[in-house]
Amino acid sequence: MKWSKLHIYTLKEAPADAEIISHKLLVRGGFIKKLAPGIYTYGNLLVRSLRKFENIIREELNKRNCIEVLMPVVHPQALWEETGRWNEMGDGLLKFKNRNDQGFCLAATHEEAVTDYVRHDIKSYRDLPKNIYQIQTKYRDEIRPRFGLMRGREFTMKDAYSFDINPEEALKSYQSMYDAYKAIFDRLGLNYRIVQADAGNIGGSQTHEFQVLADAGEDALLVSTESDFAANVEVAPAIDAVPYISKETTLKDKEKFATPNLKTIAQLSKSLKVPENELVKTLFFSSNEGFNPKDQTIKPFCVLLRGSDEVNPVKLKNMLGMVNPPLMLTDEEVHSVSGAMPGSCGPVGLNIPIYIDNGVLGLKNFIVGANEDNFHFKNINIDRDFKVTKSGDLRMAKEGDKCPSGKGTLKSYRGIEVGHVFYLGTKYSQKMRAQYLDKNGKAQPIEMGCYGIGVTRTLQAAIEQCFDVDGIIWPKSIAPFHVHICVLDINKEAVMSVAEKIMTDLENQNIEVLMDDRDERPGSKFKDADLLGMPVRIVIGEKGLNNNEIEVVERKTKSVSKVNPTQVVELVKSLLK
Ligand code: ATP
Ligand code: MG
C-alpha cells in the first residue's frame, strides 16, 4: 500500500489534552482523531491493528466453541427495567426518547440483550452449554473520559456470555474463557497480570481481571513477592506486616480536651505527639443508593479507621450489600448528623450505624473527635464509649502488607484493565426468566458468566508498553503493516522500480507493506517511520543502490543491516519471525 493513496497525516506535537505517552503517539500518528470528548474516529492504520486483534480474539474463541453474533446498539428501556439496571446504572447509561416518547438507551453492556436473545430458544438441558460473543461498539457516558481510547465514551468491546446448567459447568466455561484470555494476551506479547477483582453483588463469586502493567494504569494492583497471589487493591485483604499491640493495659477515663486548629490527622499527630496509626478517624457516608427518585434523603452511617489508613470504598460497599460504593456526606451533612464539622467528629453519642475497620480493634484509650467543633475526646474505648454495628476489613491494603497467602509481602503496581472474566450465577436469568428444563423436566434458571475485553483499550495499552523516544514499537501480531519502506528518490525511475519489486515480493509472502512514496525529505520520512512503529523499516535510495545495497532496520532494536536487494525478503522474513 502506498502512502500517497492513503489518508495518513502525522503531527509534530501532541494536543494539550493528551497526558500519557500512548495517547500522544496515537494522535501524532493519525491513528485516532477526536470528534468529541471520549469519541474518536479510528484512522486506517488503527483499523488495520483493530482487525488483527479482533481476529486473534476470534481464533481463540472460535477454537473454544464460542459463537459470534452481533447484537443491537440501541436497546429499549423495558429490557433494562427487567433487571433494574435502567436506574442502577445511573448516568453512565445514555438514555433518550424516540418520536413516540418511548425510552431507549445506547448499550453500555449486553447482559440483558443476550439473555433476551437466548431465553426464547433455550428450552432444555440439551441446548446447553452455549457461549455467545460479539465484537462491537459500546457507549458509556463516562464522567471523565480521558487518555484517548483508554477511557473513552464510545469504544469497542468483545463481550462473551456463557450459559450452563449448573454452577459446576458454569465454572468450567469460566475456566475456558480464562484460558482463552491468557492465549489472546500472550499472542500480543504484553506484560500482564491476572488479578482477583471485585465480584461485588452481581451474583456469582468468581472474577479475575487481566491487567497490563503500566505506570499510567488507572488500577492499583498488589502482587505477592513470593506466592502467586495478585489482586486489584479494591479487594486485596489488608494484613499488617507487624500486628499492632496496644501498650495500654487499663481503660482510662474519657476526657474532653480543646484542639483548636487541629483538623487533620497529620496536625493532631504532630501536635499531640501520637503516631497516626494510634489515632482514629471518623468518616461519614450515606447508604441510600439514590435509585428511587422520590427518596433522595441521606441515610447516614460512619466508618472508623486508624489515622494512617484509607477507607476502601469497594470493601465498604460489599459489607453493606450496596450496588455502588456509598457517597461521602458533605461537610454540612456531617454537621447536621454529628453536630460538628469534619475534623472534630467521632463515634461517641452518635445515633447512626458505626462500622469499624479491624485495624481499630487493637486500640485502647484512643483519641476521637468530640462532635463539638475544636474538641476531641481522649481515652475512648470500644463497647464502653460507643457500640459497633459491625467490624471487618474496610481499609486499603498497601505495599509492604503481609500477603494473604502467608508467603511474602505485597508489592504495588499500576495496571490497565484490558479484560475481565466474571461468573454471574443466576442474577440475570432469574430476573429475566431465562430457564431450561432439566433431566427431570423441572424448570431451572440458566447459570451465566460474562467476559469482556476492551479491544480498543488493549491496542492503546500495547503502545503504553511498547514505545521509545521516537515513537511506537508495534507488537508484530497487531502492527498495522509489517514493513515500512522509505523510498528516498521517488523521482528516479530505477529506484522506484526496485522499491515496487520489493514491495510486490514481500506482499507475495503475505507480508504487509506501507511504502512511503511521498515527496518528502529523508529525515522526515525516517521520523514518521519511527513514529508509526512498523516492526521493520526498509530504506531504498539511489546512493545505496549504486553500491547494490538496501538498508533494513529493525524498529525495536534499531539494528541496521545493509544487504543486497535479492536478500531483502529473506531478511525481513527472519526479522518478523
Ligand atoms: P473500568 O473498571 O475500567 O471502568 P469496567 O469494570 O467498567 O471497566 P467491564 O464492564 O468489565 O469494565 O468491561 C469490560 C472491558 O471493557 C474492561 O475490562 C475494559 O477493558 C473495557 N472498558 C470498560 N470501560 C471502558 C471505557 N470507558 N473505554 C475503553 N474501554 C473500556
Ligand atoms: Mg472492571
Side-chain angles (χ1 to χ4, degrees), residues 187-289:
R187 283 177 67 176
L188 299 193
L190 299 179
N191 181 12
Y192 69 94
R193 294 283 182 287
I194 305 171
V195 305
Q196 296 173 22
D198 178 39
N201 301 292
I202 196 160
S205 52
Q206 273 266 53
T207 176
H208 287 95
E209 288 170 353
F210 288 67
Q211 296 270 0
V212 168
L213 300 187
D215 290 340
E218 288 185 313
D219 286 316
L221 315 178
L222 290 166
V223 179
S224 176
T225 51
E226 279 172 41
S227 73
D228 55 12
F229 175 88
N232 191 309
V233 72
E234 288 179 345
V235 298
I239 307 169
D240 293 342
V242 183
Y244 177 80
I245 299 161
S246 175
K247 292 182 280 294
E248 306 284 316
T249 46
T250 54
L251 304 192
K252 296 179 187 154
D253 288 343
K254 174 173 98 179
E255 204 180 298
K256 185 151 84 177
F257 66 110
T259 47
N261 303 322
L262 301 184
K263 296 269 174 283
T264 66
I265 289 290
Q267 290 165 343
L268 276 171
S269 169
K270 199 166 163 219
S271 163
L272 305 176
K273 302 202 168 40
V274 178
E276 293 193 357
N277 67 346
E278 292 178 22
L279 291 166
V280 171
K281 62 184 174 194
T282 309
L283 305 176
F284 293 81
F285 299 86
S286 173
S287 59
N288 186 350
E289 305 244 26

Side-chain angles (χ1 to χ4, degrees), residues 431-500:
K431 287 191 174 157
M432 295 184 65
R433 297 189 60 79
Q435 299 177 325
Y436 71 95
L437 295 178
D438 68 14
K439 280 188 177 143
N440 306 315
K442 191 165 168 250
Q444 303 280 6
I446 303 175
E447 282 281 332
M448 288 174 59
C450 67
Y451 315 90
I453 290 180
V455 179
T456 38
R457 182 186 281 184
T458 305
L459 291 180
Q460 189 172 333
I463 297 173
E464 196 61 37
Q465 249 180 20
C466 309
F467 67 93
D468 64 14
V469 286
D470 297 315
I472 298 172
I473 304 171
W474 280 105
K476 288 167 200 159
S477 54
I478 52 169
F481 290 92
H482 300 117
V483 172
H484 188 132
I485 300 183
C486 295
V487 188
L488 300 189
D489 305 281
I490 54 159
N491 298 319
K492 300 271 156 58
E493 223 168 273
V495 176
M496 224 27 210
S497 78
V498 173
E500 303 254 10

Side-chain angles (χ1 to χ4, degrees), residues 127 229 441 524 571:
D127 297 320
F229 175 88
S524 73
L571 176 59

Side-chain angles (χ1 to χ4, degrees), residues 129-131 162-164 168-178 451:
K130 286 272 160 67
N131 187 315
S162 62
F163 301 90
D164 281 282
E168 203 190 340
E169 291 299 311
L171 288 175
K172 280 189 205 156
S173 299
Y174 180 96
Q175 188 60 42
S176 163
M177 291 305 274
Y178 183 102
Y451 315 90

